[in-house]
Amino acid sequence: MAKTFAYRRQEVVRDKPMMAEFKIRWPGLFTVAEVEAEFVRITTAPLVSKFLAQLDQHTAQLIKVFEKKGGSAGMKIRKMLAPITQDETVEKRRECTLRALCVYLNEDPNILFKEYLDTDAVERELQHIILGIYSINVEGGDATTSPADVGIVIEGVEVLHDLRDIASASALMMGFIYALNLSYPKELKAFFEVLQKVFLQLDASRLSSKMFIQT
């Protein structure tokens, strides 16, 4: 994939191919390792490791900031952070922080994060998802039960599945956005800018007033 990078990049920028077509043309790109490698080729920066490290570094302060939020948004945030008290794993803390971040920025996490109870539901909904991270929850499970599957959907196409957790999937979503030169959804623009500028530290000097978080 490294040898064909320049040609592939030209195709992405010039032709703006649809995801279904692009996956057929470049099937080798659709693995975790190659998404990470493509991101490095574009930005020279690591993807998942840097994203998770920066998320972990900022989490404690972010939660302090979130807890000061009042009104209905504050109530939603406290509800989203509640599972951390039941499941103290780093994966659950990262997931809850990302969901709460959406609400803190006055955006809807349900636009991005989709939860299902079985694979059939995902297949039925797949074609309607423009940009999403899905998790298939275990029926009868609770906040401490890991999802049966986590995956990424772009333009109705499942691009990755069997991912470890929501936070890793969020990092890999950024990898696909860069690899395919996609624009951030307008409904989640502030959220994705935080992922880019705070957790990936790309163009970090240009923080919009809406997304600025004192950490």
Side-chain angles (χ1 to χ4, degrees):
M1 296 302 290
K3 292 181 178 178
T4 55
F5 171 67
Y7 178 76
R8 183 169 56 257
R9 195 66 188 157
Q10 182 182 40
E11 178 183 318
V12 164
V13 174
R14 181 191 63 202
D15 299 337
K16 298 179 175 58
M18 297 296 291
M19 177 55 71
E21 175 190 350
F22 189 78
K23 189 175 181 181
I24 292 171
R25 284 184 53 75
W26 302 101
L29 183 64
F30 292 78
T31 67
V32 170
E34 283 301 333
V35 172
E36 292 202 75
E38 192 84 341
F39 186 80
V40 172
R41 288 189 281 265
I42 295 168
T43 68
T44 73
L47 178 58
V48 176
S49 61
K50 184 163 191 175
F51 182 96
L52 297 181
Q54 289 298 313
L55 174 57
D56 290 344
Q57 181 178 322
H58 287 87
T59 292
Q61 184 61 30
L62 282 172
I63 290 176
K64 287 181 182 178
V65 172
F66 296 162
E67 288 174 343
K68 295 177 182 177
K69 188 83 167 179
S72 60
M75 293 178 63
K76 287 179 183 178
I77 286 172
R78 284 185 281 279
K79 184 177 180 180
M80 288 178 175
L81 294 177
I84 298 176
T85 62
Q86 298 174 263
D87 182 350
E88 297 181 357
T89 62
V90 65
E91 290 81 11
K92 180 58 68 175
R93 187 174 71 246
R94 289 165 176 166
E95 175 186 344
C96 292
T97 301
L98 290 171
R99 291 178 185 271
L101 175 62
C102 258
V103 178
Y104 180 83
L105 295 168
N106 297 316
E107 296 179 339
D108 184 358
N110 294 323
I111 295 174
L112 178 63
F113 301 111
K114 310 291 186 180
E115 295 186 72
Y116 304 99
L117 283 176
D118 58 69
T119 53
D120 290 341
V122 175
E123 292 174 0
R124 289 195 299 270
E125 295 291 326
L126 202 86
Q127 60 184 324
H128 304 298
I129 300 173
I130 302 301
L131 194 79
I133 294 170
Y134 71 80
S135 56
I136 300 176
N137 297 327
V138 177
E139 192 166 2
D142 57 22
T144 66
T145 307
S146 298
D149 187 20
V150 176
I152 298 173
V153 179
I154 300 175
E155 294 177 1
V157 178
E158 182 185 73
V159 296
L160 283 178
H161 64 95
D162 290 335
L163 301 178
R164 295 181 302 173
D165 52 76
I166 295 294
S168 296
S170 298
L172 290 162
M173 175 68 86
M174 290 298 295
F176 274 112
I177 287 172
Y178 271 75
L180 292 161
N181 201 36
L182 301 175
S183 299
Y184 297 145
K186 62 181 181 179
E187 303 92 344
L188 296 167
K189 188 173 185 294
F191 175 75
F192 277 107
E193 284 189 352
V194 171
L195 303 195
Q196 172 197 323
K197 299 179 181 183
V198 177
F199 301 149
L200 290 172
Q201 298 183 312
L202 296 171
D203 199 20
S205 62
R206 301 176 60 187
L207 298 176
S208 69
S209 58
K210 181 180 180 182
M211 60 159 288
F212 183 76
I213 298 174
Q214 191 70 265
T215 61

